[in-house]
Amino acid sequence: MCSEVCQSLVKHSSGTKGSLPLQKLHLVSRSIYHSHHPILKLQRPHFRTSFQQFSSLTNLPLRKLKLSPIKYGYQPHRNFWPARLAARLLKLRYLILGSAVGGGYTAKKTFDQWKDMIPDLSDYKWIVPDIVWEIDEYIDLEQIRKALPDSEDLAKLAPDFDKIVESLSLLKDFFTTGSPGETAFRATDPGSESDKPYRKGLLGELILLQQQIQEHEEEARRAAGQYSTSHAQQKRKVSDKEKIDQLQEELLHTQLKYQRILERLEKENKELRKLVLQKDDKGIHHRKLKKSLIDMYSEVLDVLSDYDASYNTQDHLPRVVVVGDQSAGKTSVLEMIAQARIFPRGSGEMMTRSPVKVTLSEGPHHVALFKDSSREFDLTKEEDLAALRHEIELRMRKNVKEGCTVSPETISLNVKGPGLQRMVLVDLPGVINTVTSGMAPDTKETIFSISKAYMQNPNAIILCIQDGSVDAERSIVTDLVSQMDPHGRRTIFVLTKVDLAEKNVASPSRIQQIIEGKLFPMKALGYFAVVTGKGNSSESIEAIRDYEEEFFQNSKLLKTSMLKAHQVTTRNLSLAVSDCFWKMVRESVEQQADSFKATRFNLETEWKNNYPRLRELDRNELFEKAKNEILDEVISLSQVTPKHWEEILQQSLWERVSTHVIENIYLPAAQTMNSGTFNTTVDIKLKQWTDKQLPNKAVEVAWETLQEEFSRFMTEPKGKEHDDIFDKLKEAVKEETIKRHKWNDFAEDSLRVIQHNALEDRSISDKQQWDAAIYFMEEALQARLKDTENAIENMVGPDWKKRWLYWKNRTQEQCVHNETKNELEKMLKCNEEHPAYLASDEITTVRKNLESRGVEVDPSLIKDTWHQVYRRHFLKTALNHCNLCRRGFYYYQRHFVDSELECNDVVLFWRIQRMLSITANTLRQQLTNTEVRRLEKNVKEVLEDFAEDSEKKVKLLTGKRVQLAEDLKKVREIQEKLDAFIEALHQEK
């Protein structure tokens, strides 16, 4: 090495003497090569400036160098300078190697002493969370690398290494020029004796400088030795308690350091993932986004929840069940995990009234939405948070039935946001010890049953929340959890409000006993301590998180090792719960899928054996089929012929008003003595009847007729195609439609005018109408006569023929009525034109005649018997008169002039018949043009309402066939979703 350096120097010195520029040589070198130059003037201040600029030893005291005068002119010299230069370089080598060896040994010794003083931290690896060692699994370092600036940008920030190298080279040249070897080399030159004082002074100063460097190194070694000795002595004097305190402080600072690093990395990863998700959300990559793994799993749980609620099928898929005493902080822990204040809050009152399933997943925006709604609530806006809390409260109150306090119905909520841990949590109502005023008597038992129903799932993770600010002996939920999970294989215990507990608890070790599970008989998979705020409902999640971290940094629970670092903060709790959740999912989901495959095979076999020729239609499909049939039947209602409508309307209307026409219009008018009085009485009564009752009766008849026809079409068997499974549904649709349908109110007013005009007309135009009126009158009178004879028969009992043939006897009262009837008939035979009412003397005569035969009667009985006897007599007389009027049309055209025959009663029945015909025609038009269409519209509305009411469909579409089809559909849906989830789970692995 040294020989190569010497050869290079000799080469440059002898052969290329003129190739080096003068300005690049040192001042002393210039004096060697160009000492004969007549105008060269060496300036010492320039040398000092160069030395101070590049030397790292400027802090050492330097003696002032004296320069001797230089004589200019040509000085002959011998060529021995290569040997002198080699000698000087060899001497410099010893100095450099000695210094390097001594300094290296001293540095190594000092480093070993300091290393021995540092405590061994290998036993405290548990301080660092496991997430740090698995950071590459959670943080995409490749994305972080891409986000960092390029090497060219970093190079701009780096120092200029070329300038540093140049400065070091100049410094090296300085030491090389002023080395003792080179000075000695020049001293042998006979032509440079005039430079000896200057060279001697420079050499002495360099030697002194080297001595000072060695003295400083010796002092540094002695100081290091003294420091090591004194530190060792002090270390021996430190007590064990101080050692422990020091180690705890160091461990705490190390944990906080790693925590800050982890938070920074999580924040960076969160921002990067948010950017990626936002790009995907905007469709930058132009690809269809698949559902996230947790969303697929949540859908499986939703389907299983409905299936289990309806058919009591075992659901063993994992979910995180959050249980705890009332006001223990369950909801606050959930909100810290979800990073949003999403649940209703109250002071001391029960707010969670039904289970709330919260599915946490990652997304570009922090939003929440319900399973059955498309509205998204922006969780970064306070107004949306308030609206979400209000909506949850409304849904809870809607689920709670009248007379109850809590409900087992689940509210499904999805929460998405950057950085959220993927899992499914179920917040249950808080366990209570006493039923207070305003609660249902069975509230406590209902809450226990709901909690047990969720916790008895062998794969459910129980997140047991215990309030740390109250006495542990007052806890109720720990006993319940111990019953459901006695070995603690799926229970995570969480102590809340630790800040209050640390202030209020006299013995801090009590908190440690709670955390370690020594105060409870229950065992747990893990124990955690969290702080969920200062009790102010208006605190933000960020403020609560900062307060929690600040509390645990200064808490004695960590400093005194009562709690381990990974057992505190909701952040660590969220990570642990998520890991446990996914571990449980991977272990149990395939087993659950296999069980549903077996269930599906059994159900399909049962269907093939029981219904081999029927297609598998679930309840919704059956409802759609029934809906189409009902709508077809409503359409067929509009195809009824006008003739059929008018016939049934006319017949129904006459059946409704016939009693009023005979009893209140015809019979009173017929009792008059002349035709003028008859017509006047008839006109007055018809006018009153038309104004008050007739239009309303006609509309009622029309509506009832429409109902009857609608019912006939709905319930009429369709032969072999008829499916009795739809009968209950059709009947319910018919009743609900009839209940909703209302006849047009304006129909009565227009109908009143039409009926009044029809009854005012008395002109019978031809013989055919006359005969039709007589026929109508005969039918009406014969029907009344038959009714009257039946009434008399019931009054007097069976006649002698029935008594002999059917062995029937009369009662005593019937015998009295029979004797009274016979006596009244004798009176009528004597006077066939007897008025309708008996005189008082006639009643007395009849009574005395009966008493003479030993029959005691009451006057009221005589009047009742007379009414029926005279009615029969009058109707028979009217029928005889009707038969005589068959040939009276000729006299009618002449207004019965010069004729003893008067047929005003025939004209009355013609007017009634014509009114019935016109009314039926009017109602038929209204039915076909308006009411049938409105009825069809009402049927559609009812069907739509029933389609949205699942409970109604379950009630109306029942039977083994329906339930079996429903089971098949649900099992297939669950199996398909489970298979898709398992496939995605394997792909993620």
Side-chain angles (χ1 to χ4, degrees):
M1 178 77 177
C2 295
S3 63
E4 293 176 0
V5 173
C6 293
Q7 291 175 5
S8 63
L9 289 175
V10 170
K11 182 178 180 181
H12 286 290
S13 300
S14 61
T16 59
K17 191 173 185 179
S19 63
L20 293 175
L22 182 63
Q23 59 271 20
K24 289 187 178 181
L25 297 176
H26 199 270
L27 296 178
V28 180
S29 300
R30 297 177 189 177
S31 65
I32 295 174
Y33 291 110
H34 303 282
S35 58
H36 60 278
H37 200 280
I39 58 174
L40 179 63
K41 295 182 179 180
L42 296 178
Q43 297 179 2
R44 183 63 178 173
H46 180 72
F47 170 77
R48 292 178 57 87
T49 304
S50 175
F51 179 83
Q52 292 175 357
Q53 181 177 0
F54 297 102
S55 176
S56 61
L57 306 175
T58 53
N59 56 340
L60 297 177
L62 298 175
R63 292 186 303 172
K64 187 175 181 182
L65 299 178
K66 297 181 180 180
L67 296 177
S68 59
I70 299 175
K71 297 180 180 181
Y72 301 101
Y74 178 77
Q75 297 290 338
H77 59 278
R78 290 175 295 179
N79 294 326
F80 295 117
W81 59 269
R84 290 196 299 271
L85 179 60
R88 293 173 184 175
L89 287 175
L90 290 174
K91 189 175 183 179
L92 179 63
R93 178 188 63 179
Y94 295 135
L95 293 175
I96 293 174
L97 290 176
S99 301
V101 172
Y105 175 76
T106 303
K108 182 178 182 303
K109 186 176 180 181
T110 305
F111 174 74
D112 292 338
Q113 292 176 353
W114 277 94
K115 184 177 179 181
D116 294 337
M117 294 166 56
I118 296 176
D120 186 9
L121 300 178
S122 60
D123 296 334
Y124 302 96
K125 290 183 178 180
W126 53 267
I127 295 178
V128 182
D130 296 338
I131 185 65
V132 175
W133 311 114
E134 302 173 358
I135 196 69
D136 57 339
E137 297 181 6
Y138 299 94
I139 298 178
D140 194 346
L141 298 177
E142 182 66 20
Q143 293 290 340
I144 297 176
R145 185 187 66 78
K146 293 180 179 178
L148 292 175
D150 298 336
S151 58
E152 296 180 358
D153 298 335
L154 291 175
K156 296 178 181 179
L157 302 176
D160 192 350
F161 291 100
D162 295 336
K163 294 183 178 180
I164 295 176
V165 171
E166 184 179 355
S167 301
L168 293 176
S169 300
L170 292 175
L171 182 62
K172 180 180 178 181
D173 293 339
F174 166 74
F175 281 110
T176 304
T177 305
S179 63
E182 185 177 353
T183 307
F185 179 76
R186 289 199 301 269
T188 59
D189 189 357
S192 59
E193 293 186 5
S194 59
D195 297 335
K196 287 182 180 180
Y198 170 75
R199 291 195 298 269
K200 186 176 180 181
L202 180 61
L203 178 62
E205 187 167 346
L206 291 174
I207 294 173
L208 180 62
L209 180 61
Q210 181 66 29
Q211 292 176 355
Q212 290 178 353
I213 292 173
Q214 292 177 357
E215 290 176 1
H216 280 284
E217 290 177 352
E218 290 294 334
E219 291 177 0
R221 285 195 293 270
R222 286 194 300 270
Q226 292 176 1
Y227 176 77
S228 176
T229 304
S230 61
H231 184 74
Q233 293 175 355
Q234 291 177 0
K235 184 177 180 181
R236 297 189 191 97
K237 295 180 181 179
V238 174
S239 63
D240 293 339
K241 183 177 180 180
E242 291 177 350
K243 289 181 181 179
I244 294 173
D245 293 340
Q246 185 178 1
L247 285 175
Q248 288 176 350
E249 289 290 338
E250 293 176 356
L251 294 176
L252 182 59
H253 286 299
T254 304
Q255 190 270 339
L256 294 177
K257 175 184 176 182
Y258 280 114
Q259 189 72 20
R260 285 192 294 270
I261 295 174
L262 180 62
E263 291 177 0
R264 179 174 58 81
L265 293 175
E266 285 182 351
K267 185 176 180 181
E268 293 175 356
N269 188 39
K270 179 179 178 181
E271 293 297 328
L272 290 173
R273 293 183 66 86
K274 182 177 180 180
L275 291 174
V276 172
L277 291 172
Q278 284 178 346
K279 290 180 180 179
D280 289 342
D281 191 40
K282 294 177 181 178
I284 293 178
H285 298 297
H286 300 286
R287 60 182 177 88
K288 184 178 179 181
L289 293 177
K290 296 182 179 179
K291 289 184 179 179
S292 64
L293 199 62
I294 190 64
D295 290 337
M296 296 172 65
Y297 185 76
S298 179
E299 289 181 359
V300 174
L301 291 182
D302 289 336
V303 176
L304 272 175
S305 177
D306 298 338
Y307 185 65
D308 188 42
S310 303
Y311 306 103
N312 195 25
T313 302
Q314 293 296 326
D315 172 16
H316 291 165
L317 283 178
R319 70 263 286 160
V320 181
V321 180
V322 186
V323 296
D325 300 327
Q326 185 180 357
S327 302
K330 299 186 290 60
T331 302
S332 299
V333 172
L334 246 68
E335 288 180 336
M336 290 294 292
I337 296 176
Q339 300 181 14
R341 308 300 290 268
I342 57 178
F343 291 104
R345 313 190 70 82
S347 56
E349 61 176 324
M350 179 180 293
M351 299 305 298
T352 306
R353 296 180 178 270
S354 65
V356 181
K357 181 177 75 69
V358 182
T359 302
L360 300 180
S361 59
E362 200 168 20
H365 308 290
H366 203 186
V367 295
L369 65 158
F370 292 98
K371 179 188 73 172
D372 54 353
S373 175
S374 60
R375 178 186 177 184
E376 285 191 351
F377 297 87
D378 189 350
L379 302 183
T380 60
K381 299 179 180 179
E382 186 57 38
E383 56 270 18
D384 279 20
L385 281 171
L388 177 61
R389 291 192 290 266
H390 182 65
E391 179 67 19
I392 293 176
E393 186 175 2
L394 289 179
R395 287 174 179 256
M396 285 183 180
R397 296 188 181 277
K398 182 180 178 181
N399 289 343
V400 177
K401 298 180 180 179
E402 186 176 357
C404 300
T405 306
V406 295
S407 170
E409 297 183 17
T410 304
I411 299 173
S412 183
L413 180 68
N414 292 340
V415 178
K416 298 181 179 181
L420 292 182
Q421 297 297 322
R422 302 177 302 168
M423 64 183 109
V424 177
L425 305 103
V426 182
D427 185 21
L428 300 180
V431 180
I432 60 174
N433 189 21
T434 306
V435 177
T436 59
S437 61
M439 292 184 179
D442 61 342
T443 301
K444 180 178 179 181
E445 290 76 14
T446 304
I447 295 175
F448 268 81
S449 64
I450 294 173
S451 302
K452 287 181 179 179
Y454 277 91
M455 288 191 293
Q456 69 185 1
N457 179 1
N459 296 321
I461 301 169
I462 303 173
L463 197 62
C464 181
I465 308 298
Q466 169 66 33
D467 189 350
S469 63
V470 299
D471 295 335
E473 292 77 9
R474 293 167 56 186
S475 176
I476 310 171
V477 71
T478 51
D479 295 335
L480 179 62
V481 173
S482 299
Q483 296 175 8
M484 306 309 296
D485 184 25
H487 301 290
R489 296 173 181 171
R490 53 189 180 89
T491 301
I492 297 177
F493 183 81
V494 181
L495 188 67
T496 62
K497 306 177 184 179
V498 184
D499 53 340
L500 300 178
E502 188 178 32
K503 295 179 183 177
N504 300 333
V505 176
S507 175
S509 61
R510 186 174 178 85
I511 300 177
Q512 184 180 8
Q513 293 177 353
I514 295 175
I515 290 294
E516 294 177 353
K518 296 180 179 179
L519 287 183
F520 302 109
M522 62 170 283
K523 300 178 182 179
L525 191 64
Y527 299 87
F528 288 86
V530 298
V531 175
T532 56
K534 302 179 181 179
N536 186 4
S537 60
S538 61
E539 286 182 291
S540 64
I541 295 296
E542 291 75 13
I544 296 175
R545 187 185 296 112
D546 294 340
Y547 172 71
E548 182 185 40
E549 293 177 357
E550 181 182 357
F551 167 77
F552 283 116
Q553 287 178 6
N554 303 321
S555 174
K556 297 179 181 178
L557 301 175
L558 279 181
K559 293 182 179 180
T560 57
S561 297
M562 292 185 183
L563 296 176
K564 298 179 181 178
H566 67 274
Q567 290 182 293
V568 297
T569 71
T570 52
R571 183 190 303 275
N572 291 334
L573 171 64
S574 177
L575 293 172
V577 173
S578 179
D579 291 341
C580 186
F581 169 77
W582 284 108
K583 179 181 178 182
M584 194 75 75
V585 167
R586 292 185 176 93
E587 292 175 352
S588 61
V589 66
E590 293 188 359
Q591 180 182 0
Q592 190 79 5
D594 293 338
S595 65
F596 273 98
K597 287 180 182 177
T599 304
R600 175 179 177 177
F601 176 78
N602 295 335
L603 292 175
E604 288 177 345
T605 304
E606 184 178 359
W607 180 273
K608 291 178 182 178
N609 294 332
N610 292 312
Y611 311 102
R613 298 183 179 180
L614 293 178
R615 191 162 57 94
E616 300 168 6
L617 298 177
D618 59 16
R619 184 170 282 108
N620 292 330
E621 293 171 338
L622 286 172
F623 182 83
E624 289 298 323
K625 183 179 178 181
K627 177 181 177 181
N628 294 330
E629 288 187 8
I630 293 172
L631 292 177
D632 291 341
E633 291 165 358
V634 174
I635 292 176
S636 63
L637 187 64
S638 62
Q639 298 176 356
V640 177
T641 61
K643 182 180 179 181
H644 179 73
W645 278 121
E646 292 184 9
E647 287 178 356
I648 59 178
L649 285 170
Q650 188 171 349
Q651 181 180 356
S652 301
L653 183 58
W654 171 243
E655 290 175 357
R656 181 67 62 86
V657 302
S658 60
T659 302
H660 180 82
V661 171
I662 299 298
E663 301 294 335
N664 297 332
I665 299 177
Y666 173 65
L667 289 179
Q671 303 300 320
T672 59
M673 302 306 295
N674 53 57
S675 60
T677 307
F678 177 88
N679 292 330
T680 302
T681 304
V682 166
D683 291 342
I684 293 174
K685 290 187 176 295
L686 287 177
K687 180 69 168 59
Q688 294 175 351
W689 183 44
T690 305
D691 292 340
K692 296 180 180 179
Q693 300 179 5
L694 183 58
N696 188 20
K697 293 289 184 181
V699 170
E700 289 180 0
V701 167
W703 176 221
E704 291 175 1
T705 303
L706 180 61
Q707 294 180 35
E708 291 173 0
E709 290 298 305
F710 179 58
S711 301
R712 182 173 66 86
F713 279 102
M714 292 283 289
T715 59
E716 187 178 23
K718 303 298 186 297
K720 294 183 179 180
E721 298 179 358
H722 178 71
D723 195 347
D724 56 358
I725 202 171
F726 300 143
D727 291 345
K728 292 175 66 175
L729 176 61
K730 291 182 178 180
E731 185 66 23
V733 171
K734 183 195 74 174
E735 293 178 357
E736 185 66 23
T737 303
I738 292 173
K739 186 186 299 183
R740 295 186 184 186
H741 186 81
K742 291 183 179 180
W743 200 274
N744 192 357
D745 296 334
F746 299 102
E748 290 189 16
D749 298 334
S750 59
L751 191 60
R752 182 179 291 108
V753 176
I754 294 173
Q755 291 172 340
H756 181 72
N757 294 333
L759 291 173
E760 286 291 328
D761 188 9
R762 299 180 185 181
S763 59
I764 303 176
S765 59
D766 53 14
K767 182 70 166 57
Q768 185 178 359
Q769 293 183 5
W770 180 268
D771 293 340
I774 291 175
Y775 179 75
F776 176 64
M777 179 179 175
E778 284 181 345
E779 283 188 342
L781 294 178
Q782 287 176 358
R784 293 298 163 182
L785 179 60
K786 185 177 180 180
D787 293 339
T788 303
E789 288 180 348
N790 291 333
I792 292 175
E793 183 179 357
N794 294 330
M795 185 185 296
V796 300
D799 56 5
W800 65 270
K801 185 177 181 180
K802 292 183 178 180
R803 290 200 301 270
W804 281 98
L805 294 177
Y806 301 107
W807 293 83
K808 292 182 178 180
N809 294 321
R810 292 174 176 168
T811 63
Q812 183 65 30
E813 184 180 0
Q814 290 176 342
C815 293
V816 173
H817 277 99
N818 185 53
E819 293 294 334
T820 305
K821 177 183 75 74
N822 294 333
E823 188 67 25
L824 292 174
E825 285 178 348
K826 293 177 182 179
M827 183 183 298
L828 279 174
K829 286 181 180 179
C830 298
N831 184 11
E832 292 184 357
E833 296 182 358
H834 194 285
Y837 301 100
L838 286 174
S840 58
D841 55 345
E842 293 177 332
I843 294 174
T844 303
T845 302
V846 173
R847 184 169 61 82
K848 289 182 177 181
N849 292 337
L850 292 174
E851 288 178 355
S852 63
R853 295 198 297 268
V855 179
E856 295 290 336
V857 295
D858 189 78
S860 60
L861 186 144
I862 297 174
K863 291 180 180 180
D864 293 338
T865 307
W866 168 255
H867 176 72
Q868 297 297 334
V869 171
Y870 181 80
R871 182 185 181 85
R872 184 177 63 178
H873 170 72
F874 174 81
L875 290 174
K876 288 181 178 180
T877 304
L879 283 171
N880 293 330
H881 179 71
C882 181
N883 191 24
L884 294 174
C885 288
R886 289 181 183 277
R887 54 186 176 84
F889 181 68
Y890 172 74
Y891 299 102
Y892 166 74
Q893 288 180 329
R894 298 179 61 185
H895 303 289
F896 300 104
V897 177
D898 299 332
S899 174
E900 296 180 358
L901 183 64
E902 293 183 357
C903 297
N904 293 316
D905 48 357
V906 176
V907 177
L908 169 63
F909 277 93
W910 180 82
R911 294 165 68 182
I912 298 295
Q913 187 183 29
R914 187 169 182 273
M915 181 273 299
L916 292 175
S917 177
I918 294 174
T919 302
N921 181 269
T922 304
L923 293 175
R924 189 267 306 167
Q925 293 180 16
Q926 186 174 358
L927 280 173
T928 56
N929 297 335
T930 306
E931 301 303 328
V932 172
R933 295 179 182 178
R934 293 178 62 235
L935 183 68
E936 182 179 356
K937 181 181 178 181
N938 290 336
V939 170
K940 291 180 179 179
E941 291 177 355
V942 171
L943 289 172
E944 290 176 358
D945 293 343
F946 283 8
E948 296 177 357
D949 192 347
S950 58
E951 294 182 359
K952 182 84 65 180
K953 288 190 288 187
V954 171
K955 182 179 179 181
L956 298 177
L957 294 174
T958 57
K960 180 181 179 181
R961 171 180 148 199
V962 181
Q963 184 170 350
L964 188 57
E966 280 289 306
D967 287 345
L968 265 173
K969 177 192 173 183
K970 289 289 185 182
V971 168
R972 285 171 179 164
E973 183 181 3
I974 293 170
Q975 184 185 351
E976 290 174 359
K977 290 185 178 294
L978 278 174
D979 291 342
F981 173 74
I982 292 172
E983 182 180 358
L985 191 64
H986 289 327
Q987 289 178 358
E988 188 181 72
K989 269 189 177 181

